[in-house]
Amino acid sequence: MKRAAILISGGGSNMKALVADMGGDHPCRPCLVASNDPAAGGIAWAKAQGIASAVVDHRPFGRDRAGFETALRAQIDATAPDLILLAGFMRILTPDFIRAYEGRMLNIHPSLLPKYPGLHTHARALEAGDTEAGCTVHEVTADLDAGPILGQARVPVLAGDTEATLAARILVQEHRLYPAVLRRFAQGERGRLDLG
Ligand code: GAR
């Protein structure tokens, strides 16, 4: 059984989808939900499920990114995870942090990478007049949102879409894609999963 540490910054709907899928014959169990934001709604949810949780507020560290990451790594490493799952974790990680978990850290991103790495993905897809959008699960490497792609799910962009309506349509697919990719990855499969 693999131990999965999940990193969030907000409501954690992807984290909930991942945890909901873990159980039975699933190759993973959650060992930690950690957040950089004390207000992250997902932390209270994890506690209520009896999952170990940790908050390392990034703000007192100011520009000391290394100090923040050292504190975060201490919390993560204390739970001896096999896998690190970024699920709406909104801090950019340094190469040192990424190197520590290389090959066992995944991220979900709300665009069809390599299109639109970084922020404001939905607005950028709408501005470009794209007819489809989606989400990507990829391995985390030192290049932002550019690690090997493990899976994608696509949705149509509809007339009248706003950032909010497009984001909501993609989020539904994120909740399908991330658990499906995690199952495969944890079993050693590295092929790409494409959901319609
Ligand atoms: C999700 O849409 C996820 O893809 C995105 O943040 C949202 C988190 O929602 N992640 C990124 O933009 C990473 N750069 P959640 O907290 O409900 O899972």
Side-chain angles (χ1 to χ4, degrees):
M1 198 58 73
K2 291 197 161 36
R3 298 168 61 78
I6 308 175
L7 271 53
I8 64 171
S9 295
S13 71
N14 275 290
M15 175 271 290
K16 292 175 192 170
L18 289 166
V19 169
D21 198 45
M22 291 181 201
D25 66 348
H26 196 290
C28 302
R29 293 289 183 272
C31 64
L32 176 71
V33 173
S35 176
N36 62 296
D37 184 349
I43 289 291
W45 184 87
K47 278 188 182 153
Q49 308 298 307
I51 301 169
S53 63
V55 173
V56 180
D57 189 346
H58 65 278
R59 286 167 298 194
F61 292 94
R63 288 165 181 265
D64 179 14
R65 216 173 264 276
F68 164 68
E69 290 187 352
T70 299
L72 181 60
R73 279 182 62 182
Q75 294 289 336
I76 293 171
D77 294 345
T79 67
D82 302 293
L83 296 170
I84 314 294
L85 308 174
L86 306 183
F89 186 71
M90 302 306 279
R91 305 301 299 168
I92 290 183
L93 296 165
T94 67
D96 274 350
F97 186 97
I98 292 166
R99 210 172 295 121
Y101 303 113
E102 196 149 5
R104 53 196 183 104
M105 181 154 58
L106 308 186
N107 179 44
I108 186 151
H109 183 76
S111 79
L112 294 172
L113 292 171
K115 271 192 165 181
Y116 315 131
L119 298 174
H120 311 301
T121 55
H122 310 102
R124 288 153 73 197
L126 290 172
E127 271 162 29
D130 292 352
T131 55
E132 68 171 6
C135 51
T136 303
V137 176
H138 63 95
E139 273 185 60
V140 178
T141 61
D143 297 323
L144 180 69
D145 297 330
I149 290 175
L150 298 167
Q152 290 190 319
R154 292 162 191 276
V155 302
V157 177
L158 303 179
D161 259 342
T162 62
E163 270 184 72
T165 60
L166 181 57
R169 191 174 310 118
I170 293 173
L171 194 61
V172 172
Q173 297 305 314
E174 294 185 36
H175 299 161
R176 287 175 68 213
L177 181 69
Y178 208 173
V181 169
L182 174 62
R183 276 185 183 252
R184 290 159 55 101
F185 188 85
Q187 284 158 348
E189 267 186 61
R190 294 296 179 270
R192 187 172 158 153
L193 177 68
D194 277 298
L195 300 183

